[in-house]
Amino acid sequence: MTRTPLDPRRPLTLRDVSEASGVSEMTVSRVLRNRGDVSDGTRAKVLEAAQRLGYVPNKIAGALASQRVNLVAVVIPSLSNLVFPDVLGGISEVLENTGLQPVVGVTKYSPQREESILYEMLSWRPSGVIVAGLEHTPAARSMLENAGIPIVEIMDSDGKGIDSVVGISHRRAGREMAAAIVAAGYKRIAFLGTKMPDDHRARKRLEGFVEGLAEAGLALVDSVFYSGGSGLLKGREITKAVLERHPDIDFLYYSNDMIGAGGLLWCLENGYDVPGKLGLAGFNGVDLLDGLPRKLATMDACRHEIGIRAAKIIAGCSQSGQIGGEVVELTPVLQPGDTIRTQ
Amino acid sequence: MTRTPLDPRRPLTLRDVSEASGVSEMTVSRVLRNRGDVSDGTRAKVLEAAQRLGYVPNKIAGALASQRVNLVAVVIPSLSNLVFPDVLGGISEVLENTGLQPVVGVTKYSPQREESILYEMLSWRPSGVIVAGLEHTPAARSMLENAGIPIVEIMDSDGKGIDSVVGISHRRAGREMAAAIVAAGYKRIAFLGTKMPDDHRARKRLEGFVEGLAEAGLALVDSVFYSGGSGLLKGREITKAVLERHPDIDFLYYSNDMIGAGGLLWCLENGYDVPGKLGLAGFNGVDLLDGLPRKLATMDACRHEIGIRAAKIIAGCSQSGQIGGEVVELTPVLQPGDTIRTQ
DNA sequence: TCGCATGATGTTATCGCTAACGCGGCAAGA
DNA sequence: TCTTGCCGCGTTAGCGATAACATCATGCGA
């Protein structure tokens, strides 16, 4: 049984365009891909026909035949974090001019979801994978290793990657923040962050922070691990809670800027002397929050730059056909703002 | 020429699994898709072999053969807007249990980019399209009309859709906000929003707002259209600017909560009597911002619900094989907060 | 005038998988 | 014992495009 040539609801194929323009399917294909020699007259005819019919090529068939897919899988934990949209911005900025297209998957910080999303995405045979973090399930790790395409793990450089890595050392970021706080003379320090066993970057920051304090002979006075969304309100609540428990605390280190901002607002309203008697710091360098009553101390996580560098690695590999193994460690910069007292 | 059966770098195919497990490719395919009758013994053998080899199915080939693609194209203007991640959340929540997978494209509010992203996405023959807004280029519109798959236009219900529509009336939202403001007795009112000719929803809100004022015999005293990012700082700047130009203004209507929040902070710091002498309102109902010194009046844009309803339409069509034409208009609710004075 | 590179097009054979159908064998009913 | 029907699995024929090669004019230098 061949197709019914008159069924108007049947999706268009190359054959329809070829018949409408009186040339072979191959020639139509060449025109639409701008590849190979086609005379100007033929090209015009074909383009006219394609446009008139409203033909949209079928990339599924194309990809199968050419064994080439212009997609890059991007796997991140969350979109509501303010952090990842910036990374994506950097990625698409670079990919835009390469013919590659990012496809985003969101894991919600679940290793299991990450595994299944990677499986799903790899089954489309993308040209590369950009995935947040170095920690994966064994199955996910082995899938990535055997995929035969460039893999870039981003955001974190504390650990061994599968192929390429672009990130910052969160451990070092934590340690440097600790150093700055200690240098400013704060002594009774608390940490406030999300209760997420699978947010390894926050964990490493905290570890580095604790190490940094230890080097100065200090230890955390208290820490709060909250669950639920990271909004201003949450920042207020946990700040209030921790300061009521330990009124003598003189520094609060938050795991992200949003809750830090909430904490800052609460402290100011309640008459705390910031940064004189109480210092505050967050993490990420979220510039949407510039414009708070006082500029919150934070550390830029190089989000945009990470996206750019990761995408460049993928784009480079996809051009050269080689696989990278590049490691890029970026350096986050402390932005002291107005919530750490100066010497 | 047949393949070289020993090349270890060749990607795995069904044939490899079938040889490794001693059954036909078809049976392997059945096992991996959980479709058709396979004995438990065979199933186990196949699964073992697939797992051992690390086989990942090739969906490209599968999709071509079955004429079925489990992808849903989602086309939105921006990810940094705080609004769209919420919509995406609703979408994936519903799609998660349907075997469908969302694929996101970002237009940056450019109709041209929207057109090319739609072209790109349609070329993968998705099961449906969810696209923000009712305004498209003629070419994009015609592509969508002829795609033969369910199309859901979201966020906006002020206008005629292509197929299904799920959204709110921004014009009405603007008008209702105007009514509330007028009812509270404010008279000298200004609007502050982004300068984006292609943000039709913001435009319609403003139009509705102006209409609403006109009904009460009022007109805008001033309006500011800024460009660049929407952060707290931007909110402060434009608020300062407009209040310096017209010190007698008694209400500021912002086109989004983020700049509204910046404006609120500025007003409080500068001793304005909010909401007594000066009222403020934003739009969106961004709950990350709950926890400001005063709760900003706003209107919930039903973002999450919109995502859910849109995804349900797509999922429904993909099950029934029919195409919808459903129109869902949700009703945004005014949240007066503490920045509109009560009677 | 011939030969041959070159440009413009068509032909053939996949790509990896699945729909649709086919075919033995075994159990239950006649 | 012989059907009948279903279960379990294999065979065949594409899906819609592209790679690679084949074909056929043309033109240009020798």
Side-chain angles (χ1 to χ4, degrees), chain A residues 13-14 29 33 55 58 61 65 68:
Chain A
T13 71
L14 266 193
S29 169
R33 284 179 302 148
Y55 173 70
N58 186 329
R68 242 171 295 153

Side-chain angles (χ1 to χ4, degrees), chain A residues 265-282:
Chain A
L265 291 175
W266 188 86
C267 291
L268 293 178
E269 280 168 28
N270 287 277
Y272 283 83
D273 169 14
V274 177
K277 290 279 186 336
L278 178 64
L280 303 173

Side-chain angles (χ1 to χ4, degrees), chain B residues 209-283:
Chain B
F209 188 68
V210 169
E211 286 168 28
L213 293 185
E215 282 169 18
L218 293 175
L220 282 177
V221 171
D222 196 355
S223 36
V224 180
F225 299 93
Y226 67 93
S227 50
S230 299
L232 293 178
L233 197 53
K234 187 65 84 171
R236 284 174 178 268
E237 287 169 9
I238 57 180
T239 301
K240 177 162 186 276
V242 79
L243 286 175
E244 279 174 357
R245 260 198 321 249
H246 295 279
D248 57 345
I249 278 175
D250 66 2
F251 203 96
L252 297 171
Y253 180 38
Y254 296 87
S255 75
N256 69 65
D257 285 349
M258 202 68 184
I259 56 168
L264 172 60
L265 291 174
W266 188 86
C267 291
L268 293 178
E269 280 169 28
N270 288 275
Y272 282 83
D273 169 15
V274 178
K277 291 278 185 334
L278 179 64
L280 302 174
F283 185 82

Side-chain angles (χ1 to χ4, degrees), chain A residues 178-260:
Chain A
I181 293 169
V182 169
Y186 296 103
K187 298 233 178 316
R188 302 193 46 81
I189 298 161
F191 173 85
L192 303 91
T194 43
K195 176 162 57 194
M196 277 214 226
D198 291 310
D199 186 345
H200 298 280
R201 292 175 289 288
R203 194 201 73 219
K204 290 173 184 177
R205 262 190 330 267
L206 174 55
E207 287 170 7
F209 188 68
V210 169
E211 286 168 28
L213 293 183
E215 281 169 19
L218 294 174
L220 282 177
V221 170
D222 197 354
S223 37
V224 180
F225 299 93
Y226 67 93
S227 50
S230 300
L232 292 178
L233 197 54
K234 187 65 85 171
R236 284 174 178 267
E237 286 169 10
I238 56 178
T239 301
K240 176 162 186 277
V242 79
L243 285 175
E244 279 174 357
R245 261 199 319 252
H246 295 279
D248 57 345
I249 278 175
D250 65 1
F251 203 96
L252 298 171
Y253 181 37
Y254 295 88
S255 75
N256 69 64
D257 285 349
M258 202 69 185
I259 55 167

Side-chain angles (χ1 to χ4, degrees), chain A residues 11-12 55-58 60, chain B residues 69 71 121-127 149:
Chain A
L12 296 167
Y55 173 70
V56 177
N58 186 329
I60 297 178
Chain B
V69 180
L71 301 176
M121 296 200 136
L122 287 178
S123 75
W124 288 100
R125 302 288 188 265
S127 296
I149 53 176

